[in-house]
Amino acid sequence: MYCKTMSLTHVFLFASFGTLASLVMSRTFHDTAIVDKHEQWMVDYGRKYDNNLEKEKRLDIFMENLEYIESFNNVGNKSFKLGLNEFADMTHDEFIAAHTGYKMLDKSKMSKSTSFLYENFSDMPSSLNWNDRGAVTPVKDQSNCGSCWAFSSVAAVEGIIKIKTGKLISLSEQQLLDCSTNGGNEGCGGGWMTSAFKYIIQNRGISREESYLYKAEQGTCDMKKQMNKAVTITGYETVPENDEKALLKAVANQPVSVGIDGSGRDFMFFKGGGVFTGECGNDQNHAVTIVGYGRSEEGLDYWVVKNSWGKSWGEKGFMRIQRGAKTTGGLCGIAMEASYPVA
Ligand SMILES: *[C@@H]1O[C@H](CO)[C@@H](O)[C@H](O)[C@H]1NC(C)=O
Ligand SMILES: *[C@@H]1O[C@H](CO)[C@@H](O)[C@H](O)[C@H]1NC(C)=O
């Protein structure tokens, strides 16, 4: 399941039990530059802490992350850079818990199609970005909610609707959180893009973003808003698995939803400046949408991925990630579970 989560509140509570002694000890060693950086970061990201103990604890984590980021960038043997973002005061374990959680991978919930619409398609341009063709809405932010699956499916639907009708309409993730409880979907607890597509087909549509606003928590399905439909899809298909060539055929035709391993520390602090080349595994714990592909100046083939972690992450919310890496299922397992809506 994508984005299976633990509540961040629990994570923070848990983290607060760190020993007081070590905090008091470490306090004196924070140099003012780091304290200032943390203060500035708190302003930039609107972060507030309940008490000074929590603030000290978060400062320690911030400092550790900053050190990791700076040493990664100083080694400089990767094409991409890391940078501070909204996750900068979370430990890697907390980040994993809030964005990946228990890693319960239940393949039986993922329904695969036997047909592949683009099987015989061979007219792929050498590069393509659905952003440039106006088929991608601005990057959104799932916040502290394991709703990546809703954002991934909505972005794919927004794409195919623009391609088919010429209209780019931002659609509602909240409707999926509240109403698409079919097929193993659990709101902020994680879900599947294929189940979300199924729901949209059965509901005969999905509402606009502004008529069913995002709250980053699951509520009861609003029947009135659910019926206020803007667009619909007629079906969905899955791309043959672990096949980046097949995936290319699909992405050449429309944005495609994919599961990905987004739990790595380098993924967490990815800042761009080049193509992401790892480290990552291939546990499908996050979901994103592939909105293009190309080749970098250094000759690296890449996918363009739209994430849902706000614009401060990556390249204004996007990531160029290596395509054709010699790992089964593609880098971070990007080609393991890909699907797209049909309209
Ligand atoms: C980059 O440097 C790190 C640390 O020195 C090293 O572990 C890693 O293997 C290097 N990677 C490449 C691709 O050279
Ligand atoms: C692809 O071509 C084969 C052989 O002509 C045909 O049997 C198959 O139905 C085609 N697939 C699609 C999705 O059109």
Side-chain angles (χ1 to χ4, degrees):
M1 171 178 293
Y2 303 116
C3 259
K4 184 95 182 134
T5 65
M6 206 167 116
S7 143
L8 197 60
T9 318
H10 289 138
V11 175
F12 279 148
L13 276 178
F14 192 62
S16 301
F17 290 116
T19 62
L20 181 60
S22 73
L23 290 174
V24 173
M25 293 292 287
S26 65
R27 173 181 258 143
T28 47
F29 300 122
H30 292 137
D31 81 52
T32 49
I34 286 170
V35 173
D36 288 350
K37 252 192 174 139
H38 183 231
E39 291 288 344
Q40 186 56 49
W41 176 87
M42 285 175 66
V43 171
D44 292 347
Y45 292 93
R47 183 75 91 246
K48 291 188 174 67
Y49 302 113
D50 287 346
N51 51 54
N52 279 340
L53 184 64
E54 177 68 9
K55 189 172 176 183
E56 285 292 316
K57 170 86 188 169
R58 293 294 144 192
L59 176 58
D60 278 342
I61 297 165
F62 180 88
M63 186 172 71
E64 208 213 297
N65 282 331
L66 189 64
E67 275 165 6
Y68 179 84
I69 289 165
E70 284 177 350
S71 68
F72 178 99
N73 290 342
N74 286 341
V75 172
N77 62 356
K78 294 266 193 185
S79 61
F80 63 97
K81 297 284 182 208
L82 303 186
L84 292 174
N85 56 28
E86 64 176 282
F87 311 127
D89 71 345
M90 294 170 78
T91 67
H92 186 228
D93 285 348
E94 287 169 351
F95 176 76
I96 290 172
H99 289 264
T100 71
Y102 307 112
K103 299 200 176 165
M104 283 184 355
L105 186 66
D106 184 355
K107 290 251 180 209
S108 66
K109 293 259 170 65
M110 165 94 188
S111 13
K112 293 203 163 68
S113 65
T114 45
S115 59
F116 177 46
L117 197 60
Y118 304 119
E119 190 183 348
N120 301 325
F121 184 80
S122 59
D123 201 15
M124 290 83 77
S126 59
S127 70
L128 178 155
N129 192 335
W130 287 110
N131 262 305
D132 303 336
R133 303 187 183 200
V136 183
T137 60
V139 167
K140 305 181 188 183
D141 193 345
Q142 69 189 72
S143 303
N144 177 28
C145 168
S147 51
C148 63
W149 59 276
F151 284 85
S152 168
S153 27
V154 160
V157 174
E158 290 168 346
I160 192 63
I161 295 297
K162 161 67 187 176
I163 291 162
K164 293 287 179 177
T165 69
K167 287 185 195 132
L168 181 66
I169 304 170
S170 186
L171 300 170
S172 173
E173 291 81 15
Q174 191 63 40
Q175 180 177 356
L176 297 179
L177 283 193
D178 294 353
C179 308
S180 175
T181 50
N182 57 304
N185 283 352
E186 291 173 10
C188 291
W192 305 94
M193 288 78 83
T194 48
S195 301
F197 295 145
K198 250 189 228 168
Y199 159 79
I200 298 171
I201 296 160
Q202 278 158 8
N203 190 53
R204 298 204 174 85
I206 179 167
S207 305
R208 286 170 187 268
E209 184 85 62
E210 69 252 30
S211 45
Y212 204 147
L213 287 173
Y214 189 61
K215 295 200 192 95
E217 59 184 18
Q218 191 181 25
T220 43
C221 181
D222 186 319
M223 293 301 172
K224 212 171 132 209
K225 290 179 181 170
Q226 175 181 233
M227 298 315 285
N228 189 8
K229 298 169 277 198
V231 303
T232 197
I233 55 171
T234 52
Y236 72 88
E237 290 189 343
T238 51
V239 178
E241 63 189 88
N242 302 334
D243 185 346
E244 286 192 282
K245 289 200 174 74
L247 188 53
L248 188 70
K249 293 180 182 183
V251 176
N253 283 281
Q254 64 183 97
V256 172
S257 295
V258 292
I260 196 166
D261 186 341
S263 66
R265 203 170 188 185
D266 297 352
F267 200 101
M268 173 182 180
F269 289 118
F270 176 69
K271 195 66 192 174
V275 176
F276 182 79
T277 51
E279 307 277 317
C280 56
N282 60 7
D283 277 343
Q284 307 290 292
N285 44 45
H286 188 48
V288 293
T289 313
I290 301 182
V291 297
Y293 59 85
R295 175 172 289 181
S296 74
E297 279 164 14
E298 310 101 298
L300 269 178
D301 286 337
Y302 62 81
W303 298 110
V304 182
V305 153
K306 184 191 191 193
N307 202 351
S308 49
W309 290 347
K311 289 189 181 112
S312 78
W313 180 86
E315 302 182 311
K316 299 194 171 90
F318 293 87
M319 172 189 258
R320 283 174 294 154
I321 180 171
Q322 191 179 359
R323 175 166 58 99
K326 295 205 176 350
T327 41
T328 309
L331 193 67
C332 311
I334 196 166
M336 290 169 81
E337 291 169 4
S339 58
Y340 55 89
V342 178

